[in-house]
Amino acid sequence: STDDVRAPTHLPNLWTRRRGRIRTRQIQISMAAAYNITDRAQTAIIPDPRDNTKMFDRGTFEGSAYKKLIDEAGPLDANAEAPLKSLELFLEHLRAEGLRSLERGALEFATSIFSSVLFSLGPVGWISGVIVAGGAVGATFGATRSGLIRQDRPSYCETSERASIKAALPMVRQQVADILEQQLTSGAGPAYEAIRRQHRSLPAGERQRFEVALSSAALWSSPEQTLFRGSGREICWLVNLALDLDNEDLLKIILPLIRGLSKFCIMDRVNMTHLAPVQLPPLNGDGQRVTYRGGGMNESHTDFFTLGRVFRFPGFVATSFSREVAKGFMTQATHKEFPAIEWTFIIPDGCMHINYLQPELSLVPGESEYLLAPYTCCEIVQVQWQQTGDWRSTNYNNPHRITLKVALDNKLAPENLPLAPWR
């Protein structure tokens, strides 16, 4: 029997019969185990990506796993297959970590029940605790392995998600093979010819590293999706998840792709003399070069974005030259009933940490990106909040607006700056 199965601070009453009388005992355990067994288990390793408080509450760039791995990294892998192999391991690791965390959560949950029963019921609790704990572990393990655990949202450990990974990888592999063939052999036009000239000009090892960079850019732009927590997610979203979580195991696996993208940093492209020139962002009315980003806003984080604040974005930040492209993403947010937001980025000339991904590097026809590197430093120079709590009012035609000045060189910015909770 129970008073309220959703009660956040206790399990339902445990009923026992002693000397013909019904007695109740409250078993006090943690909120997570009481409210949702799988909630606790799933977030043991990988938090819910929709809960950004959990995702970003982890310190600064200074002590991050990402900084440690980058500082320790040797030369970029010269195997052109490295980004694809790292992606395959990365996706499987996400699924496997979720499964292991679910089982660990089940064990913790059963242990909580065992100890609670033991101390609340005295000697009777020994028998009851063993029965309840054993049942909880067995039932949860069985449901995990069969993919049956589904509480208020799907588990990303389900067999359907493994199937989606297996289905997506061959398609992504073929997409990368096709664009590499176009870039290095058959693509027509000056930009493709420039890529081939750059490729031919390099010595063998560097030529393969250039192919790694081309593959990484293709993977980043892939529209192919795989299931994660029951929702379709693109590769770029999952890569940013690893950066947001600062999970060293995940980052170590996906690092070849992240480093491959950095080969197209504007400053590094100076040495790629045969590539087409970098297209600079257009000037706005104030003579500043600006790019745009659009999407939905988690309004619980509005207090972070205050005028004058200097901070870092922990993941990649994709921006576009086109305000209309940003509006397209804001429109998607409105259709999903999220308040819309438009970000404007002021890009200084000579910025040291922006990757320019021209259309010929992308799997999306005609798409180009100014991609801010992980942990890019920005200063808030303008904030305009519209009505909060009403997505109908704060829509793609009337979004929240934040203008940011991008730092010239991330290395000159303090490493202990706060991390943005949203982008």
Side-chain angles (χ1 to χ4, degrees):
S1 178
T2 178
D3 297 327
D4 182 0
V5 296
R6 296 172 299 173
T9 58
H10 64 274
L11 273 181
N13 295 333
L14 180 68
W15 290 72
T16 63
R17 186 176 296 274
R18 287 188 180 180
R19 296 180 182 177
R21 294 185 296 116
I22 297 295
R23 301 183 65 181
T24 65
R25 300 281 186 178
Q26 297 289 358
I27 302 177
Q28 299 294 332
I29 65 170
S30 70
M31 180 185 299
Y35 177 62
N36 186 340
I37 301 172
T38 59
D39 209 24
R40 179 174 179 178
Q42 289 173 359
T43 57
I45 297 297
I46 302 172
D48 186 335
R50 289 169 289 189
D51 185 348
N52 282 70
T53 301
K54 293 179 183 176
M55 284 176 62
F56 292 86
D57 185 18
R58 57 163 182 75
T60 63
F61 174 62
E62 186 175 30
S64 67
Y66 176 75
K67 181 179 186 299
K68 172 176 175 272
L69 292 173
I70 290 296
D71 288 346
E72 294 174 353
L76 184 64
D77 195 332
N79 181 356
E81 285 281 300
L84 278 164
K85 289 180 178 177
S86 69
L87 175 65
E88 185 172 357
L89 289 172
F90 174 73
L91 293 176
E92 180 56 29
H93 194 76
L94 271 177
R95 195 203 67 80
E97 276 300 301
L99 184 58
R100 284 193 289 272
S101 68
L102 188 58
E103 293 173 348
R104 280 193 289 272
L107 184 59
E108 292 173 9
F109 172 67
T111 304
S112 297
I113 293 180
F114 177 81
S115 60
S116 299
V117 171
L118 179 64
F119 289 108
S120 65
L121 297 179
V124 177
W126 286 91
I127 299 174
S128 302
V130 170
I131 293 172
V132 176
V137 172
T140 308
F141 277 21
T144 301
R145 291 301 184 183
S146 61
L148 295 177
I149 288 185
R150 298 181 71 93
Q151 295 284 332
D152 59 321
R153 60 174 177 269
S155 163
Y156 61 81
C157 310
E158 297 179 29
T159 53
S160 59
E161 305 210 352
R162 170 175 275 190
S164 78
I165 292 173
K166 288 186 175 181
L169 283 172
M171 298 179 70
V172 170
R173 185 175 290 275
Q174 187 60 52
Q175 289 172 350
V176 172
D178 289 346
I179 195 172
L180 283 175
E181 192 276 334
Q182 189 175 22
Q183 291 165 340
L184 302 179
T185 305
S186 65
Y192 286 113
E193 292 172 5
I195 291 173
R196 288 193 282 274
R197 284 197 303 272
Q198 181 63 39
H199 186 252
R200 289 193 298 266
S201 72
L202 298 171
E206 288 304 312
R207 191 178 304 158
Q208 289 175 307
R209 291 188 178 92
F210 184 60
E211 292 173 14
V212 169
L214 293 172
S215 297
S216 299
L219 289 170
W220 173 262
S221 65
S222 174
E224 202 63 41
Q225 296 187 349
T226 183
L227 283 177
F228 182 84
R229 287 187 177 269
S231 299
R233 299 296 186 183
E234 295 177 353
I235 293 167
C236 57
W237 190 95
L238 294 170
V239 171
N240 263 344
L241 174 65
L243 287 161
D244 292 338
L245 296 173
D246 198 42
N247 183 301
E248 186 170 351
D249 291 337
L250 292 175
L251 288 173
K252 196 176 294 184
I253 295 170
I254 204 63
L255 202 61
L257 191 155
I258 294 173
R259 294 184 65 206
L261 277 174
S262 70
K263 296 293 285 185
F264 293 108
C265 178
I266 287 178
M267 298 311 297
D268 288 343
R269 283 179 65 121
V270 171
N271 299 320
M272 297 184 184
T273 55
H274 297 284
L275 287 185
V278 172
Q279 182 181 347
L280 296 175
L283 296 172
N284 64 7
D286 297 324
Q288 300 166 323
R289 299 197 182 276
V290 297
T291 60
Y292 302 95
R293 175 180 175 83
M297 180 64 192
N298 183 336
E299 292 178 335
S300 66
H301 298 304
T302 54
D303 289 347
F304 179 89
F305 296 99
T306 56
L307 192 65
R309 167 161 268 176
V310 181
F311 65 93
R312 290 179 184 263
F313 283 110
F316 285 106
V317 182
T319 72
S320 173
F321 295 166
S322 169
R323 204 166 193 170
E324 286 303 308
V325 170
K327 188 173 183 179
F329 285 101
M330 289 189 286
T331 302
Q332 292 180 31
T334 299
H335 290 165
K336 293 177 181 178
E337 301 184 2
F338 289 112
I341 184 166
E342 180 186 70
W343 307 82
T344 300
F345 295 85
I346 301 172
I347 311 294
D349 288 338
C351 187
M352 306 286 286
H353 47 264
I354 292 183
N355 306 298
Y356 173 57
L357 304 181
Q358 65 198 66
E360 293 76 18
L361 304 179
S362 175
L363 287 172
V364 179
E367 179 182 79
S368 62
E369 288 185 46
Y370 248 38
L371 188 64
L372 276 63
Y375 293 94
T376 286
C377 176
C378 295
E379 179 185 357
I380 301 173
V381 295
Q382 187 174 352
V383 180
Q384 182 182 354
W385 297 118
Q386 310 301 341
Q387 183 174 341
T388 59
D390 185 0
W391 64 268
R392 290 180 177 86
S393 172
T394 308
N395 57 45
Y396 57 87
N397 284 321
N398 185 44
H400 300 307
R401 290 186 171 90
I402 297 178
T403 301
L404 303 169
K405 182 179 179 181
V406 178
L408 179 66
D409 186 352
N410 276 335
K411 292 183 178 180
L412 300 180
E415 294 185 348
N416 60 351
L417 291 172
L419 302 181
W422 196 254
R423 62 174 169 271

